[in-house]
Amino acid sequence: EAKAAGRNTYRTFHPDVGARTATRGQLGLDMREAIRRGEFRLVYQPVVDAGTGGVVSLEALMRWHHPLQGEIAPGDFIPLAEETGLIVPLGSWALHEACREALRWPPHVRVAVNVSGVQIRRDGFEVAVLAALAGSGLPPSRLKLEVTESVLMQDADCVLACLRRLRALGVQVVLDDFGTGYSSLSYLRRFPFDKIKIDRAFIRDIADPDAAAIVRAVVGIGERLGMGIVAEGVETAEQLDLVRREGCTQVQGFLFSRPLPPDEARAYILAAQARAVPRGAGLA
Ligand code: C2E
Ligand code: MG
Ligand code: MG
Ligand code: MG
């Protein structure tokens, strides 16, 4: 009986695993072609000045419109792209595309591009960034790179040197998802980030006094180190009120806008500019 059950388990289990592996493998193969076929798109989510309500930058977020599977979220294909190394051409494509798009925006608005650890540790990353800037004509000061601290954990010296050189050209470097992972404060001493993005888990729980205390402490550290604090994942007016009260200088989240296709993103910037209040007057 046990043997039969075992065999039965094996029979029903095995094809399933095989299918999943094939799908994952197929997805990896599809990805090679997908760049060329133009199946990847960038959508742009506004980052808003907590004081004026004006758009200061937009974060480029990748989307894959797969011909058979429909839209695949970055959480599902970025890790695969990292495993296969395809994140390198894909990341270069995103840099080019985002820089090109940002040229259509008012000149004070920056574009933020997420950079994966695999991508940044490869030789040629710096060249790819410079090529995207030179190829588009976007001034370096209008580009932000978003990295997570995991990027700094391995091979950190080389990565830091590269980021320092880019930063010396005016490219901003943002520490993304702060508060998740190890969040070692030593990273904040090792690299002069322009901004720290507090992970949305803290913003979701900001009504909890403990979460609010942590946000306030990070804001304090940021102020002392000359790093602005961005709150990501602001979904409600109450959360906005609380993160502003704790001193976050910039905010991003569904309350303001979901990530938008290029034309809608541009329209959003122009509309926000028209209704933004003067600095210091506070966000209505
Ligand atoms: P991330 O860089 O932390 O981006 C923020 C994520 O939070 C985005 O998810 C965004 O859509 C989502 N988000 C923004 N506001 C809210 C909100 O108010 N509520 C909720 N629930 N979510 C919000 P998305 O687009 O699915 O991207 C997920 C992650 O995938 C990104 O996290 C980033 O780590 C990675 N990713 C996206 N595009 C790229 C890319 O071009 N290159 C690389 N290397 N990674 C990327
Ligand atoms: Mg990001
Ligand atoms: Mg983030
Ligand atoms: Mg994230």
Side-chain angles (χ1 to χ4, degrees):
E1 270 308 301
K3 198 179 166 190
R7 207 190 298 138
N8 195 36
T9 306
Y10 176 79
R11 255 195 226 122
T12 53
F13 189 58
H14 181 72
D16 186 33
V17 169
R20 221 182 299 136
T21 308
T23 303
R24 204 172 153 74
Q26 188 57 47
L27 215 55
L29 291 174
D30 289 356
M31 205 178 280
R32 286 179 196 277
E33 281 297 296
I35 303 178
R36 199 179 51 74
R37 285 200 303 254
E39 289 169 16
F40 290 98
R41 300 277 158 75
L42 293 178
V43 287
Y44 299 89
Q45 189 180 31
V47 179
V48 168
D49 183 304
T52 68
V55 176
V56 287
S57 61
L58 293 95
E59 178 174 9
L61 295 159
M62 215 180 276
R63 299 289 180 264
W64 182 3
H65 295 277
H66 191 281
L68 301 175
Q69 302 199 26
E71 186 158 297
I72 306 177
D76 291 325
F77 69 79
I78 296 282
L80 187 59
E82 289 175 336
E83 278 171 39
T84 58
L86 283 173
I87 192 69
V88 174
L90 198 55
S92 295
W93 169 81
L95 282 163
H96 277 273
E97 183 67 18
C99 289
R100 211 174 49 78
E101 185 59 32
L103 274 184
R104 301 174 64 227
W105 305 341
H108 65 278
V109 179
R110 293 183 163 105
V111 66
V113 180
N114 291 286
V115 174
S116 143
V118 176
Q119 185 187 358
I120 203 169
R121 283 191 293 270
R122 288 287 178 91
D123 289 340
F125 171 71
E126 194 174 349
V127 170
V129 175
L130 297 176
L133 290 168
S136 62
L138 190 77
S141 60
R142 292 188 59 193
L143 176 65
K144 301 205 262 190
L145 300 176
E146 296 199 359
V147 303
T148 57
E149 61 186 348
S150 65
V151 160
L152 309 181
M153 280 166 62
Q154 297 160 290
D155 219 349
D157 290 344
C158 153
V159 169
L160 292 186
C162 166
L163 288 177
R164 282 207 173 86
R165 283 193 296 273
L166 289 171
R167 199 170 172 273
L169 295 176
V171 174
Q172 287 201 351
V173 182
V174 178
L175 183 58
D176 203 355
D177 299 346
F178 190 76
T180 62
Y182 293 94
S183 295
S184 165
L185 296 178
S186 66
Y187 294 122
L188 297 180
R189 281 185 65 200
R190 291 177 69 190
F191 191 81
F193 295 101
D194 294 280
K195 297 218 155 48
I196 301 170
K197 269 194 175 183
I198 302 186
D199 192 74
R200 70 168 188 265
F202 292 93
I203 310 310
R204 185 190 58 217
D205 298 339
I206 189 86
D208 165 23
D210 292 349
I214 290 169
V215 171
R216 189 178 315 159
V218 175
V219 168
I221 292 169
E223 276 170 2
R224 296 291 291 268
L225 297 175
M227 303 173 188
I229 305 296
V230 186
E232 69 177 4
V234 176
E235 293 184 352
T236 69
E238 188 200 9
Q239 288 168 346
L240 173 63
D241 193 47
L242 291 169
V243 298
R244 289 181 69 215
R245 199 178 298 171
E246 300 306 346
C248 294
T249 49
Q250 296 180 359
V251 284
Q252 174 181 8
F254 294 169
L255 177 65
F256 297 93
S257 175
R258 292 190 174 256
L260 300 169
D263 287 347
E264 286 175 46
R266 186 165 179 274
Y268 185 98
I269 299 168
L270 300 179
Q273 190 165 284
R275 64 167 186 266
V277 296
R279 178 169 279 285
L283 188 58

